Amino acid sequence: MKIGILGAMREEIEPILKLANADKFVQYGKNIYYFGKIADNDVVIAYSKIGKVFSSLTASVMIEKFGIEKLLFSGVAGGLNPNLKIGDLIRASSLCQHDLDISTFGHPFGYVPEGSRFIYSDENLNKIADEVAKDLNVNLFTGIIATGDQFIADKNRKDWIKKHFDADAIEMEGGSVAVVCESLGIPFFVLRAISDSADEVAGFDFDSFLISSAKQSADFIVSMIERIK
Ligand code: 4EZ
């Protein structure tokens, strides 16, 4: 099986590059795609750069140019659900775009014609994740992840996103990667470890916890890929 592993920032994929012995690479469209092996699987690893546009591009290239058959996203996120603490893991049951807004025309937030507000992640990959969590005895939350081209560090915006999307965590790439994978028929999975709570101190927390939370997520993703046949 050929599996794509995507992060937004170098810090989010660095631990995976090491574990996959990914020393071969190709540059394409201003991103670097690394090639390695995890158990019996070939892996293509990249970081896209931050946000919906860059992540869509990188996911598309992984699929159309490098032929990945599944995509797993690893990274960090802001916690919206008060039960989520820094370092906790959440897998997306579904994802949405909180900054997509044509509400002037009577459409709900996060919706455009012929699209859908929520996109659901792959059942099989979710099942593998739940098994890994059980075996490693780690707590894995499941919830809605909201994506937008904004770093949220503001209580009002945070509450607005919670209210309109019932979201549990917030980041800037999952929803766009979901659109690409769903459109092209590639099963996908999104995992995030909490780095901050999207509040007024989120910037400070993010800087303090990016590395440690990114590692939590990366290690879990590697354990999952070890089980994919
Ligand atoms: C985006 N990522 C943050 C990138 C920040 C700074 C140089 C995850 C994330 C996030 N996104 C962690 N906390 C967040 C928050 N509070 N709002 C949005 O995927 C780059």
Side-chain angles (χ1 to χ4, degrees):
M1 181 72 68
K2 200 183 216 186
I3 300 172
I5 308 173
L6 181 57
M9 302 172 72
R10 166 156 272 284
E11 290 86 343
E12 291 174 319
I13 62 156
E14 189 85 63
I16 302 171
L17 289 176
K18 288 196 186 123
L19 293 166
N21 285 316
D23 41 18
K24 273 185 44 201
F25 62 89
V26 164
Q27 181 167 355
Y28 186 83
K30 297 190 181 173
N31 288 104
I32 300 171
Y33 296 83
Y34 296 88
F35 304 94
K37 242 180 144 52
I38 297 175
D40 288 335
N41 296 302
D42 290 318
V43 290
V44 182
I45 308 166
Y47 74 92
S48 58
K49 301 188 283 283
I50 297 157
K52 295 196 297 183
V53 174
F54 283 132
S55 57
S56 304
L57 170 65
T58 308
S60 302
V61 169
M62 278 187 164
I63 295 165
E64 293 295 326
K65 183 166 177 67
F66 296 116
I68 62 160
E69 298 159 277
K70 293 181 193 296
L71 189 150
L72 279 69
F73 192 102
S74 182
V76 301
L80 302 180
N81 185 323
N83 294 327
L84 284 169
K85 307 291 183 221
I86 289 170
D88 285 349
L89 289 169
I90 176 170
R91 69 163 171 84
S93 49
S94 67
L95 301 102
C96 58
Q97 296 180 63
H98 68 75
D99 59 350
L100 188 55
D101 178 357
I102 53 166
S103 57
T104 300
F105 303 95
H107 292 294
F109 295 115
Y111 178 82
V112 293
E114 298 181 43
S116 50
R117 279 191 92 210
F118 293 95
I119 296 180
Y120 290 84
S121 54
D122 181 64
E123 272 316 309
N124 260 320
L125 291 171
N126 287 330
K127 215 175 92 196
I128 292 170
D130 290 339
E131 286 165 12
V132 167
K134 198 165 165 240
D135 289 355
L136 300 183
N137 202 19
V138 302
N139 211 350
L140 175 64
F141 289 78
T142 299
I144 296 172
I145 293 185
T147 299
D149 282 329
Q150 302 161 346
F151 184 88
I152 306 299
D154 171 77
K155 189 175 181 306
N156 284 332
R157 182 67 190 164
K158 175 179 166 173
D159 288 344
W160 185 91
I161 295 164
K162 267 164 68 173
K163 181 170 128 206
H164 287 282
F165 296 94
D166 197 25
D168 299 290
I170 184 121
E171 36 85 312
M172 305 174 66
E173 299 85 16
S176 43
V177 170
V179 170
V180 168
C181 291
E182 139 107 337
S183 302
L184 298 175
I186 296 297
F188 73 93
F189 174 82
V190 177
L191 181 72
R192 296 276 181 169
I194 301 301
S195 56
D196 58 82
S197 296
D199 54 12
E200 277 65 20
V201 294
F204 180 85
D205 285 345
F206 178 85
D207 283 337
S208 311
F209 297 108
L210 167 63
I211 300 287
S212 58
S213 292
K215 170 101 176 112
Q216 293 291 323
S217 177
D219 286 349
F220 192 96
I221 288 284
V222 170
S223 298
M224 282 180 67
I225 294 175
E226 284 168 351
R227 296 188 177 228
I228 298 174
K229 291 280 171 297

